[in-house]
Amino acid sequence: MNAAVFLDRDGTLNEDVGYISRPADLNLYPWAAEAVRAINKSGMKVIVVTNQSGVARGFYTETELRIVHDKMSAELGQAGATMDAVYYCPHHPRFVDSPYGIECLCRKPKPGLLTLAAREHSIDLEASFVIGDKWSDLELALNAGATPVLVLTGYGRETLARLEGGRFRPSIIASDLLGAVGDVLAQRSRMRHRR
Ligand SMILES: [Mg+2]
Ligand SMILES: [Zn+2]
């Protein structure tokens, strides 16, 4: 069985500039490739999981979305960093005129993208992590039995403010993806030594 680090896209790997329909609008954070390389080196899978309701909203097609992801993959690849897979949810229940306007099982925080990835890549979700900037990313981790990690880029600071005084606090909170990956790898080596 593999372990994975599931990465949110917007606000985690790249600047959250709203709905991205063109490759030119995808700006990876300057530390993204180094963070992904570090996960690659650890032997864990790197799997991007992203809600892309822009498809249901008619802002872009799945083909256009894939072109954006191809650019992301190529740019990371040039820096020696590999994504093992990208899973996206194109749905949104509110846009009923669209074939994507359904109540699906894959829109985060529902765990559908993770359970599919787990099947296709033989991943042990309990040994895996989800890194993201929104409450839905943290909730996704909890729903799937993985460890939630909050980054303070994107909507991260707003998410943290919402958590203050609440019932739940992720064990890892990091300023950005590179810091988060460092903390994840440290926690993983502690977990392995305990076994
Ligand atoms: Mg995000
Ligand atoms: Zn979906």
Side-chain angles (χ1 to χ4, degrees):
M1 288 283 262
N2 299 302
V5 182
F6 293 97
L7 302 177
D8 168 50
R9 196 190 83 178
D10 302 331
T12 300
L13 272 166
N14 56 277
E15 286 170 38
D16 191 336
V17 295
Y19 297 95
I20 295 178
S21 53
R22 302 176 309 144
D25 295 334
L26 185 109
N27 299 306
L28 286 170
Y29 287 126
W31 52 83
E34 187 181 348
V36 171
R37 272 201 313 266
I39 307 169
N40 291 151
K41 225 177 120 191
S42 78
M44 297 177 95
K45 301 267 182 198
V46 176
I47 300 193
V48 175
V49 284
T50 179
N51 279 353
Q52 292 298 328
S53 70
V55 177
R57 292 166 201 265
F59 295 161
Y60 42 85
T61 64
E62 285 194 72
T63 304
E64 288 167 325
L65 179 61
R66 290 207 180 104
I67 292 170
V68 170
H69 292 160
D70 287 347
K71 182 220 175 177
M72 185 167 70
S73 173
E75 207 172 301
L76 287 169
Q78 278 162 15
T82 307
M83 296 189 300
D84 293 287
V86 178
Y87 289 86
Y88 60 85
C89 166
H91 309 112
H92 195 295
R94 218 153 24 91
F95 298 87
V96 290
D97 292 340
S98 160
Y100 298 97
I102 59 164
E103 191 71 62
C104 66
L105 296 173
C106 55
R107 181 170 166 78
K108 299 187 288 187
K110 288 187 181 163
L113 296 179
L114 262 57
T115 49
L116 178 62
R119 257 201 321 275
E120 293 186 342
H121 297 267
S122 304
I123 291 164
D124 175 4
L125 291 175
E126 298 205 346
S128 299
F129 298 80
V130 178
I131 305 180
D133 66 312
K134 285 191 179 171
W135 170 244
S136 56
D137 297 305
L138 305 178
E139 215 180 353
L140 168 70
L142 297 177
N143 288 341
T147 302
V149 178
L150 176 65
V151 285
L152 299 181
T153 49
Y155 287 93
R157 291 188 182 279
E158 290 162 44
T159 303
L160 182 62
R162 274 179 69 190
L163 294 175
E164 300 293 347
R167 62 274 161 204
F168 166 76
R169 201 179 161 83
S171 57
I172 301 176
I173 300 173
S175 57
D176 58 37
L177 180 60
L178 189 56
V181 168
D183 290 349
V184 161
L185 298 181
Q187 176 162 329
R188 179 169 151 83
S189 78
R190 281 197 302 275
M191 280 160 60
R192 291 180 126 189
H193 284 121
R194 231 180 284 136
R195 274 192 206 141

